[in-house]
Amino acid sequence: MDESKHVKIVIRGFDTKIRQFRSRLYEIKERKFASVLDALIHIKEKRDATVSFRYSCRMGICGSCAMVINGKPRLACETNVFKELESRDSIVVAPMEGHPILKDLVNDFDDFFEDHKSVKPWLFRKDKKEKFAAKKEYKQSEKERDGFLTFSECIKCGLCYDACPVVNTNRDFIGPQALSQAYRYYKDSRDQAGQSRLIEVDSLKGAWGCEFSGSCSKVCPKGVDPALAIQSLKFEIIKNGFLGKLNKPEQRIKKK
Ligand code: FES
């Protein structure tokens, strides 16, 4: 039995020549289990080679295919075409507007990765030579691991930035992805940066910029819950502040 059907895809891409959004409608035949990404690849290969979008893994791991599908920030490779058409007769795809747009559905991630880098997303060890000549494994208990595991699932797709009302109005705010990673490393028992990680985000640009709308957690395709991470950072900042542990600028993590 042929389980394919005709579907309408509207690409509301950004046209770099006229510096405006332009909608193009494509009618294609798609299979039952096709994703929106499959449909876009179909259009690019068979109908219009000029359509631009990002993708790599096609299985929800690389985070490259993030876009707005029928008004919601989502991964195109994890959105089923037939399911989308249960309640409407066409699928509208557009680029995320929480990031600068380069062309069509392609966003520029330079600022996003600068914010990510700003929280020093790596394990900090006091002994600089240790990583080249470790003498032992750094084992963690299940409890220690569970303190940060969910936050380490981030695939850096940028959907949480697109959903965040603060990022969309104040680009100084480093955003939910970077802050969730600050907490992820703060909670890792192998990390030795300690309270310096809290000092780095103790500002309006950091944790205090969050207005707790919770939209970042709603759109995260991996269930990372950045909103929880940010509220946890605030709690740790207050707790450590009361204990007098956040007053020393020299505690900041030294640049590598
Ligand atoms: Fe990698 Fe969609 S293509 S997450």
Side-chain angles (χ1 to χ4, degrees), residues 37 54-65 75-77 155:
L37 180 61
R54 295 170 68 232
Y55 74 97
S56 179
C57 71
R58 300 170 77 161
M59 54 174 76
I61 293 172
C62 71
S64 306
C65 67
L75 294 180
C77 70
I155 57 172

Side-chain angles (χ1 to χ4, degrees), residues 37 48 89 98 114 129 159 191 216 220 227 240 256:
L37 180 61
D48 183 352
D89 63 3
E114 280 306 314
K129 296 195 186 125
L159 289 170
D191 188 71
C216 52
C220 178
N240 282 274
K256 286 204 157 177

Side-chain angles (χ1 to χ4, degrees), residues 1-18:
M1 193 174 73
D2 182 12
E3 293 199 87
S4 49
K5 67 176 174 189
H6 284 94
V7 296
K8 289 182 194 164
I9 308 276
V10 178
I11 298 181
R12 188 176 170 272
F14 187 73
D15 188 321
T16 44
K17 283 198 192 113
I18 56 173

